[in-house]
Amino acid sequence: MPSTPRAPDRLAVPRYWLAHLRGLLRRGLSSLRSRGWRATWQRLLVHLRPPPPPPRTPLYLPEPAPFAPFAVPAAAAGTAPRASIVIPVYNHCEATLACLHALAAHPPAAACEVIVVDDGSSDDTAAWMPRVEGLRYHQRAANGGFIAACNHGASLARGEYLVFLNNDTIPQPGWLDALLATFAAHPGTGMAVAQLLYPDGRLQEAGGVVFADGSAWSYGRFESADDPRYAYVRDCDYGSGAALALPRGLFVQAGGFDTRYAPAYYEDTDLAFAVRALGHSVRYQPAARVVHDEGTTAGTDTGSGVKAYQVRNRGVFAARWAEALQAQPQPGSVPGPDLLHARQRRVLVVDEGVPHPDRDSASLRQFNLLRMLRDGGAHVAFLPTGLAHEGAATAALQQLGVETWYAPFAGSAATWLRANATRFDVIVVTRHHLASALLPLLRRHAPNARLVFDTIDLHYVRERRGAQLAGDAAALRAADATRASELAAMAMADLTLVVSDEERAQLAIDAPGVRVEVLSNLHEVAGPGAPFESRRDLVFVGGFRHPPNVDAVLWFGREVFPRIRQRLPDVRFHCIGAGPTAEIRALAEIPGIEVHGHVPDLDPYMDQVRIAVAPLRFGAGVKGKVNLSMAHGQPVVATSCAVEGMHLHDGMDVAVADTPEDFAEAVVSLYGDRGRWERQAAAGLDNVARHFSLEAARATVQRVFFDGTAAG
């Protein structure tokens, strides 16, 4: 029968606050003795500051209700779960019930099992848990404490991963899948720890920092969970055992939770150090959000009760890991990103907005560069001068491990740079109009940083060609102004990035004193895709906020495609790209032309369409659309302008044509010749691997971002 809810204890809240204040006083006096008054005052301010704004995503908190049977997620019979969620409990059955309701309300995609280990509860736990369908409920013979209960639960687990979860937590939707995804997205991860939140939405812990004396700090405590400092994946010293995951085999190899810390406290920190000693990383995952009602089960006063073991066990931990602790920072002020990343190469990238790699080649190049920097061990920050949080695109950078900023946490780009630029070794400013405005500021506030101007392409060359094609004298004068701006920015920077040898040769004439490096488009070689006989049609990919793409598709759709359609009456032309203009959309009235706009997943068009076209009549730089197709084994027909700077040869790895008649002939000929198509597809894949892959760019990235220690 359902149990009758107990009458509320009216003195519970006053008793909690009395114990909490007593604990604060005790910790404050201890901090004064060990850290001095300045650091203690700074830490006290953390506790006294006003609450931050609520999280962007509202918290899920189940409503209290009398017990009634329900079901928790459980792997299908005969199927090994991917994760075993181990929940140790000792009384507080209402908290356990809320935790299980949260798991039931938002089941993870990963197959899992939920194991509740009852460590001798005397309340209604034993009456309620057997009635929760799908739950593996285990009663221990006698109370042994948190560590014993966790290790016991681990011994019962069948999953590939062990996930330890306190019973006073409310896991938020998607928490487990995000936690498990950390292992695949960041190879070498041995432990993934969750973002812990207070029930009011404030941050409780964004991974932990351990100091040289063995003391620890919950990073981000009482701050906003959305603060960019705490919203990206990063290595951390440890994470609270309230919500963490690691491979079951690694848990066994590390010896489980060490019983020298029994009954509790510092066992999670010790396990994190053991995981690192075995050659693995401990990573904080902000997308795995878990509400933790800290103090529900153990209180907060370190001077009494089980919490007192926290003080004793710090000494035990410090003695065991004395050698490893020598590399940890000294205790002092509240840690920030400057302390956390002090031993890494620190790179800041500034652009107008965050990259959208599915929308344009410049974004894909930038995103892959950020990946390479992270893989190389650098700490990377990204400042979009527009300061907009761009949803999934911003989250993608944070999941990559990039410290990504946005309003309201950055008031303006200039203000943020004045406060933060000094902590970076290399600062990249993208696009000439940003470089012109920001490089003088950076030279002042980051005098020791290497300042890099990333051109994306030489804008003045592209503008000049477009003006010449249109016969527009005013546009020619504007191109000259752009040239002056770009060359002035190069003179202010320590180093300029261009995307092709042709652009480097142009600058040897126009700006001979500028140090230039070529960092071209960056692509992963996807592979050959579908074979010739399974492919059909033509495709163009390119955003229509870029004038050369608008001109190219209008020229192809009006002048070239009708000639192709006469000879290949069933062929279709797929026009893909964000922001199509009215003229571009009107091309859909021509038989065979389909204007798709933005397509989030390009793979079907890369892997199943027979030929890509790049009919650009003006532009500059290297054309990502050509690289993208070749990286998927898709042959390309292009103009001379489109293949500039790409190490391509007509008739071998590309077909080149510049008039409507020749372009149509090249498409029709390649479309029907299987042998030629296969040879060109293979040659294109080889071209991308040799010139435009991440591996091909590795030496340049090393020179630009990692070699040297000062400006220049």
Side-chain angles (χ1 to χ4, degrees):
M1 296 293 291
S3 298
T4 303
R6 294 181 175 86
D9 182 355
R10 300 183 184 279
L11 296 178
V13 172
R15 276 201 297 266
Y16 165 79
W17 278 109
L18 181 61
H20 181 63
L21 291 172
R22 187 167 57 240
L24 281 178
L25 179 60
R26 192 185 305 275
R27 293 198 300 274
L29 292 173
S30 175
S31 180
L32 276 172
R33 288 191 295 269
S34 60
R35 301 184 183 94
W37 73 270
R38 293 183 192 277
T40 301
W41 176 247
Q42 187 181 29
R43 291 178 176 226
L44 179 61
L45 289 178
V46 169
H47 291 266
L48 298 178
R49 67 184 52 168
R56 292 170 59 89
T57 304
L59 297 180
Y60 167 77
L61 298 172
E63 292 291 333
F67 177 79
F70 63 102
V72 295
T79 302
R82 184 155 182 249
S84 297
I85 304 172
V86 175
I87 307 174
V89 306
Y90 177 62
N91 293 325
H92 303 285
C93 54
E94 290 86 0
T96 306
L97 189 64
C99 178
L100 295 176
H101 271 305
L103 293 173
H106 302 283
C112 65
E113 62 178 354
V114 184
I115 303 171
V116 166
V117 180
D118 186 348
D119 195 32
S121 298
S122 57
D123 60 2
D124 286 328
T125 298
W128 291 354
M129 295 301 113
R131 302 174 62 196
V132 178
E133 184 180 349
L135 180 69
R136 294 183 62 192
Y137 174 60
H138 180 81
Q139 287 180 290
R140 286 173 51 78
N143 177 269
F146 180 82
I147 291 174
C150 285
N151 287 340
H152 198 147
S155 72
L156 302 172
R158 298 174 295 140
E160 177 186 359
Y161 291 93
L162 282 173
V163 182
F164 293 99
L165 189 67
N166 276 16
N167 70 324
D168 56 354
T169 61
I170 305 295
Q172 298 299 292
W175 75 285
L176 180 60
D177 295 315
L179 207 57
L180 297 179
T182 314
F183 295 94
H186 298 274
T189 300
M191 180 188 291
V193 303
Q195 181 188 80
L196 298 182
L197 304 170
Y198 287 105
D200 63 4
R202 291 178 301 163
L203 187 58
Q204 185 180 114
E205 180 185 290
V209 179
V210 175
F211 296 103
D213 64 352
S215 63
W217 179 257
S218 297
Y219 189 59
R221 192 177 184 89
F222 301 132
E223 300 278 9
S224 168
D226 298 318
D227 189 314
R229 293 173 294 175
Y230 317 116
Y232 61 97
V233 175
R234 62 171 180 83
D235 285 15
C236 62
D237 293 336
Y238 77 98
S240 168
L244 62 80
L246 75 167
R248 181 159 56 99
L250 182 58
F251 182 78
V252 173
Q253 185 183 3
F257 286 122
D258 197 319
T259 55
R260 76 185 74 191
Y261 300 100
Y265 293 105
Y266 267 90
E267 75 286 335
D268 44 16
T269 316
D270 178 272
L271 181 61
F273 272 60
V275 164
R276 262 195 306 280
L278 291 169
H280 305 275
S281 296
V282 178
R283 288 194 170 94
Y284 157 68
Q285 174 53 266
R289 300 191 312 154
V290 174
V291 173
H292 181 213
D293 192 7
E294 184 183 45
T296 291
T297 55
T300 60
D301 184 5
T302 58
S304 62
V306 70
K307 193 76 173 177
Y309 285 97
Q310 184 172 330
V311 176
R312 188 208 75 172
N313 286 350
R314 171 182 158 185
V316 176
F317 172 80
R320 183 184 181 194
W321 296 102
E323 184 175 347
L325 288 173
Q326 292 177 16
Q328 296 299 114
Q330 292 299 318
S333 59
V334 175
D338 52 342
L339 178 68
L340 265 57
H341 303 292
R343 292 184 175 88
Q344 294 173 267
R345 189 69 163 175
R346 295 158 298 179
V347 179
L348 170 65
V349 178
V350 184
D351 202 348
E352 294 173 308
V354 298
H356 291 256
D358 60 336
R359 291 179 179 267
D360 61 86
S361 61
S363 285
L364 180 61
R365 171 180 175 269
Q366 189 174 71
F367 187 87
N368 281 334
L369 172 60
L370 297 173
R371 267 180 59 194
M372 293 184 70
L373 294 172
R374 288 287 299 116
D375 291 346
H379 170 61
V380 184
F382 193 96
L383 177 68
T385 57
L387 296 178
H389 189 296
E390 298 190 41
T394 296
L397 287 193
Q398 293 171 328
Q399 284 299 299
L400 194 63
V402 176
E403 177 192 328
T404 310
W405 284 82
Y406 36 80
F409 303 99
S412 72
T415 301
W416 189 91
L417 288 169
R418 279 194 290 270
N420 291 276
T422 188
R423 62 182 169 101
F424 295 98
D425 303 301
V426 182
I427 301 177
V428 184
V429 183
T430 307
R431 304 174 207 280
H432 70 92
H433 55 279
L434 292 184
S436 298
L438 295 179
L439 285 174
L441 180 71
L442 292 170
R443 186 61 73 196
R444 177 181 177 186
H445 294 290
N448 296 320
R450 175 178 297 165
L451 302 185
V452 178
F453 169 34
D454 189 356
T455 62
I456 302 298
D457 64 19
L458 291 182
H459 288 50
Y460 73 89
V461 173
R462 169 164 45 85
E463 291 177 11
R464 180 192 296 156
R465 289 173 175 175
Q468 290 170 341
L469 182 67
D472 188 334
L476 271 173
R477 290 191 294 272
D480 288 339
T482 297
R483 178 181 183 276
S485 175
E486 280 192 284
L487 297 185
M490 294 173 194
M492 286 188 284
D494 297 311
L495 186 149
T496 295
L497 293 179
V498 296
V499 294
S500 72
D501 289 326
E502 281 74 6
E503 290 190 333
R504 176 161 56 184
Q506 182 69 50
L507 289 179
I509 298 170
D510 293 349
V514 169
R515 180 184 171 191
V516 178
E517 288 275 4
V518 176
L519 184 64
S520 199
N521 287 352
L522 300 170
H523 292 267
E524 291 191 281
V525 180
F532 174 86
E533 62 272 12
S534 300
R535 292 175 177 256
R536 57 181 299 162
D537 298 336
L538 314 175
V539 66
F540 172 92
V541 177
F544 292 106
R545 287 183 286 272
H546 191 53
N549 288 340
V550 176
D551 174 82
V553 170
L554 291 176
W555 178 74
F556 181 81
R558 293 166 178 172
E559 303 293 331
V560 181
F561 186 70
R563 290 176 165 85
I564 297 171
R565 185 81 168 179
Q566 286 178 355
R567 299 171 62 183
L568 300 171
D570 294 328
V571 77
R572 293 174 297 166
F573 171 48
H574 300 277
C575 177
I576 296 173
T581 65
E583 284 185 299
I584 295 294
R585 290 196 300 271
L587 291 177
E589 298 174 7
I590 298 174
I593 295 182
E594 298 183 14
V595 179
H596 296 278
H598 172 64
V599 173
D601 183 10
L602 288 173
D603 284 355
Y605 294 93
M606 296 294 101
D607 296 336
Q608 297 170 21
V609 172
R610 188 170 290 182
I611 293 175
V613 296
L616 292 145
R617 299 195 297 166
F618 69 95
V622 172
K623 312 307 180 294
K625 58 183 65 64
V626 176
N627 291 139
L628 180 66
S629 292
M630 289 182 171
H632 284 77
Q634 183 180 60
V636 178
V637 178
T639 58
S640 300
C641 175
V643 300
E644 183 181 67
M646 301 193 68
H647 312 280
L648 296 170
H649 303 89
D650 183 23
M652 292 181 57
D653 35 27
V654 71
V656 179
D658 290 311
T659 67
E661 297 81 5
D662 290 346
F663 207 104
E665 175 60 33
V667 169
V668 172
S669 176
L670 182 61
Y671 197 87
D673 189 333
R674 174 175 178 167
R676 180 183 164 194
W677 186 95
E678 290 176 343
R679 289 191 297 274
Q680 187 173 320
L685 282 166
D686 181 64
N687 175 273
V688 174
R690 284 187 291 114
H691 299 291
F692 303 104
S693 64
L694 275 62
E695 184 58 37
R698 207 165 298 283
T700 301
V701 170
Q702 179 68 35
R703 284 195 305 274
V704 172
F705 295 97
F706 292 96
D707 291 349
T709 58

